[in-house]
């Protein structure tokens, strides 16, 4: 949870009750967390950045280690247009996202990516391991999102920290923001706790980038509903809604989906209160499109093949939480086990339950929380039978994880009440594998209303709070119920740049 303070010039005068401190830098970052937790939720990501692009050759110049000329010939990467990006956010949000805010994100996405590559030297890479499948010897990208960062979130935050150090930006850790100071409708200061004492910073510009309330069980239960106190925190434990509260106290307008969040299938054995900084994103369990998910009663509860994984993973955590006991089992057979990501399903990363038959697998799952073995066996039998009928009607169809292949459980002869719409293969070839998953919450969608052009915070009366800016997960109005993967980091960069420019302009105009 970080707050940037942009001063009126050099030096910044910091008044404390017992002494006066002089800060020799025009920009100060105050962070609630200790230094070892630097990076917020960004540290726990895979570094995915969604952006408008014209295909492989358009993005090659910004990738740190581009593929060889020989390898390029075997890569299929379709362009991702402005209309594609806007459409994805709007359709996943059921038409509820603020269209002006969405367009500001999309229209500035590529420029933000180029800026990160050039000025922050973010080591962008192509996300072969997450967004491409090897199909007949070709690397086929899917789902629109193709960019990642070398070393994931760790590499992203390391690049940002190097850039801050090179620019001489000072950071105070263990320094939570307490309140904003206003005068005549504009920001004139920020109060933080440092060493147990309240410190008042004189400033005309504050940028809030402190995340949502996902790490606060009481706020999750209050806004998201009963049961959400059981969700596992995927990232930083320091995003507890503090900065939303201090902004609201000075009249900031709340916006967005306060009942919605990004939550995904997460290792059921992971810690509940915070992510693990060594493994970061590896507790994610996103292989469900290749198999099925069943609850403790042995029943499927989502269409695992409804859409590409990066269009469904952020909402399926909620579906898992709503199941009996708040957990589920992901199931595959040997046909697809080799396609599961090693970083998520490798030895030592997750508890894997193997069996040589479905009946044996059911017996083993009884020890892990399955309560209805007959129903589980019936679910698998009906699933396999429905797929058999579909294949008989579509004998020429081929399984292809890189496209929506239409291989489903639905046919004129048999239709499941809950279909699997794509990538449906019978569970029939041993060994069989199961993994137990829970709900991991990433970030909440409700936040502050901002002006899309300046990222300045909107007040309750519809005006702007002069000098108060907001970016990242604190911005409300972008996402409702679901979101396209990779949009969060891009949004943080887009509105962070707008906020930075606006804060700098205030400094310039004050002289």
């Amino acid at each position: 949870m970080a707050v940037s303070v942009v001063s009126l010039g050099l030096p910044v005068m910091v008044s404390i009750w017992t002494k006066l401190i002089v800060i020799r830098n025009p920009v100060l970052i105050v962070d609630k967390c200790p230094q070892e937790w630097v990076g917020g939720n960004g540290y726990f990501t895979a570094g995915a950045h969604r952006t408008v692009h014209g295909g492989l050759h358009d993005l090659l110049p910004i990738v740190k280690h581009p593929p060889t000329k020989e390898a390029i010939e075997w890569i299929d990467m379709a362009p991702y247009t402005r209309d594609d990006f806007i459409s994805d956010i709007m359709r996943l949000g059921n038409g509820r996202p603020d269209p002006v805010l969405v367009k500001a994100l999309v229209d500035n996405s590529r420029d933000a990516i180029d800026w990160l590559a050039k000025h922050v030297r973010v080591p962008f890479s192509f996300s072969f391991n997450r967004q491409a499948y090897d199909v007949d010897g070709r690397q086929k990208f899917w789902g629109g999102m193709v960019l990642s960062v070398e070393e994931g979130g760790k590499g992203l935050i390391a690049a940002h920290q190097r850039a801050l150090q090179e620019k001489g930006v000072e950071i105070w850790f263990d320094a939570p923001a307490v309140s904003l100071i206003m005068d005549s409708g504009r920001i004139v200061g920020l109060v933080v706790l440092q060493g147990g004492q309240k410190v008042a910073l004189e400033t005309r510009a504050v940028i809030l980038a402190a995340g949502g309330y996902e790490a606060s069980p009481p706020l999750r239960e209050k806004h998201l509903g009963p049961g959400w106190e059981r969700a596992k925190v995927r990232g930083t434990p320091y995003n507890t809604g503090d900065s939303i509260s201090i902004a609201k106290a000075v009249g900031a307008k709340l916006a967005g989906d306060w009942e919605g969040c990004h939550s995904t299938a997460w290792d059921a054995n992971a810690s509940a209160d915070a992510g693990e900084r060594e493994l970061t994103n590896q507790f994610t369990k996103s292989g469900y499109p290749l198999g099925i998910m069943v609850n403790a009663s042995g029943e499927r509860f989502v269409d695992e093949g409804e859409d590409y994984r990066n269009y469904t993973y952020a909402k399926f955590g909620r579906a898992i939480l709503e199941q009996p006991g708040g957990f589920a089992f992901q199931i595959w057979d040997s046909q697809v086990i080799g396609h599961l990501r090693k970083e998520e399903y490798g030895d030592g990363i997750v508890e894997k339950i193997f069996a040589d038959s479905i009946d044996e697998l059911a017996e083993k799952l009884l020890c892990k929380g399955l309560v209805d073995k007959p129903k589980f066996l019936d679910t698998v039998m009906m699933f396999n039978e429905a797929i058999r009928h579909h294949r008989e009607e579509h004998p020429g169809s081929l399984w292809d994880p890189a496209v929506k292949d239409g291989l489903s459980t639905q046919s004129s002869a048999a239709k499941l009440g809950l279909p699997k719409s794509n990538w449906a293969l019978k569970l029939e070839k041993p060994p069989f594998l199961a993994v137990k998953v829970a709900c991991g919450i990433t970030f909440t969608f409700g936040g502050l209303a901002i002006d899309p052009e300046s990222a300045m915070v909107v007040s309750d009366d519809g005006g702007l709070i002069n000098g108060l800016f907001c970016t990242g997960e604190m911005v409300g109005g972008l996402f409702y119920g679901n979101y396209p993967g990779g949009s969060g980091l891009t949004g943080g960069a887009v509105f962070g740049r707008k906020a930075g420019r606006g804060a700098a302009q205030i400094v310039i105009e004050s002289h």
Side-chain angles (χ1 to χ4, degrees):
M1 173 180 159
V3 177
S4 298
V5 179
V6 182
S7 78
L8 293 173
L10 290 175
V12 176
M13 302 304 295
V14 182
S15 59
I16 193 168
W17 291 335
T18 58
K19 59 182 176 179
L20 188 67
I21 301 173
V22 177
I23 308 221
R24 300 290 180 182
N25 198 295
V27 179
L28 169 69
I29 295 177
V30 294
D31 204 323
K32 177 183 178 182
C33 73
Q35 187 167 1
E36 58 267 26
W37 278 90
V38 68
N41 279 342
Y43 186 89
F44 292 88
T45 69
H49 287 71
R50 184 175 291 263
T51 184
V52 172
H53 66 84
L56 176 63
H57 291 278
D58 180 30
L59 292 175
L60 283 173
I62 68 170
V63 174
K64 184 175 182 180
H65 294 109
T68 64
K69 290 183 178 179
E70 293 76 14
I72 286 173
E73 298 300 318
W74 295 91
I75 298 173
D76 295 328
M77 184 186 294
Y80 189 65
T81 68
R82 175 182 187 269
D83 288 345
D84 291 335
F85 199 168
I86 292 173
S87 175
D88 281 341
I89 296 178
M90 297 303 292
R91 73 180 176 87
L92 294 183
N94 291 318
R96 297 175 66 197
D98 180 341
V100 180
L101 199 62
V102 171
K103 289 175 183 176
L105 164 59
V106 172
D107 289 341
N108 291 276
S109 62
R110 182 55 193 276
D111 189 45
I113 296 297
D114 289 341
W115 184 86
L116 287 172
K118 180 178 180 181
H119 296 286
V120 186
R121 300 195 301 281
V122 170
F124 284 113
S125 61
F126 290 132
S127 190
F128 289 103
N129 65 324
R130 296 181 62 83
Q131 295 293 148
Y133 284 112
D134 186 333
V135 179
D136 297 328
R138 301 193 66 82
Q139 289 290 320
K140 298 180 69 173
F141 280 86
W142 49 269
M145 209 288 300
V146 300
L147 281 180
S148 188
V149 175
E150 294 180 4
E151 300 297 321
K154 295 179 183 179
L156 175 66
I157 298 305
H160 278 286
Q161 289 298 300
R162 284 193 299 269
L164 291 171
Q165 186 175 19
E166 290 170 3
K167 296 297 183 181
V169 174
E170 187 173 356
I171 305 176
W172 288 1
F173 292 102
D174 293 303
V178 175
S179 61
L180 292 157
I181 305 172
M182 301 281 291
D183 183 32
S184 302
R186 65 176 304 134
I187 295 293
V188 295
L190 177 74
V191 178
V192 304
L193 281 177
Q194 188 190 44
Q197 294 180 302
K198 286 187 177 181
V199 178
L201 307 176
E202 180 188 353
T203 179
R204 290 287 182 88
V206 173
I207 302 171
L208 301 174
Y213 56 88
E214 65 275 0
S216 168
L219 288 180
R220 292 201 305 268
E221 186 175 16
K222 174 183 177 181
H223 295 296
L224 303 179
W228 277 97
E229 69 279 2
R230 299 181 301 173
K232 294 177 181 289
V233 178
R234 290 184 57 193
T236 176
Y238 293 94
N239 284 5
T240 52
D242 307 34
S243 286
I244 295 176
S245 296
I246 67 172
K248 185 179 178 182
V250 296
K253 181 180 179 180
L254 302 183
D257 181 9
W258 280 81
E259 297 178 352
C261 65
H262 176 311
S263 60
T264 189
W266 196 244
D267 193 323
N269 298 314
S271 171
D273 299 325
E276 210 284 322
R277 286 184 72 83
E278 183 59 34
L279 294 176
T280 62
N281 196 51
Q282 290 181 266
F283 284 139
T284 301
K285 299 292 170 273
S286 58
Y288 58 84
L290 305 180
I292 64 172
M293 285 199 292
V294 300
N295 60 21
S297 301
E299 298 176 307
R300 292 175 55 246
F301 54 94
V302 296
D303 178 351
E304 303 91 345
E306 170 190 326
D307 206 334
Y308 292 116
R309 185 269 314 165
N310 59 6
Y311 294 140
T312 60
Y313 79 114
K315 71 174 183 176
F316 278 178
R318 176 184 289 270
I320 293 169
L321 187 70
E322 291 172 348
Q323 302 312 301
F327 65 85
F329 298 102
Q330 297 178 343
I331 314 285
W332 310 269
D333 74 358
S334 63
Q335 297 178 89
V336 299
I337 289 174
H339 288 280
L340 298 175
R341 295 188 191 129
K342 297 290 191 298
E343 69 269 26
E344 294 180 9
Y345 296 97
D347 294 339
I349 301 299
V350 65
E351 180 185 17
K352 293 184 282 189
I353 305 162
F354 283 102
D356 291 324
S357 70
I358 291 295
D359 188 81
E360 179 190 355
L361 186 65
E363 282 293 321
K364 291 185 175 182
L365 293 184
L366 288 174
C367 300
K368 302 296 180 180
L370 180 68
V371 296
D372 194 336
K373 176 182 174 181
K375 184 61 181 179
F376 171 70
L377 295 176
D378 184 63
T379 294
V380 175
M381 182 193 70
M382 296 291 290
F383 180 77
N384 286 346
E385 186 69 6
I387 292 172
R388 181 180 69 81
H389 286 294
H390 182 272
R391 296 299 182 275
E392 289 175 353
E393 287 191 4
H394 305 276
S397 299
L398 297 175
W399 186 78
D400 186 343
V403 299
K404 294 182 186 179
D405 60 11
L407 293 187
S408 78
T409 55
Q410 311 303 91
S411 67
S412 62
K415 289 183 174 66
L416 295 183
L418 178 62
K420 182 173 183 184
S421 300
N422 293 285
W423 314 299
L425 292 175
K426 288 197 286 185
L427 293 164
E428 61 179 355
K429 296 185 178 181
F432 302 93
L433 170 63
V435 165
K436 187 175 181 179
V437 295
C439 170
I441 185 167
T442 311
F443 66 91
T444 46
F445 291 157
L448 304 181
I450 66 167
D451 169 52
E453 290 305 310
S454 66
M456 194 174 288
V457 174
V458 177
S459 65
D460 278 326
D461 62 9
L464 299 179
I465 300 178
N466 196 307
L468 185 61
F469 301 86
C470 177
T471 188
E473 296 169 0
M474 285 189 68
V475 174
L478 269 177
F479 309 124
Y480 285 77
N482 194 10
Y483 98 133
S487 302
L489 289 177
T490 302
V494 166
F495 294 112
R497 292 184 71 210
K498 289 176 177 288
R501 287 194 294 262
Q505 187 62 35
I506 287 176
V507 172
I508 293 170
E509 291 176 353
S510 67
H511 286 282

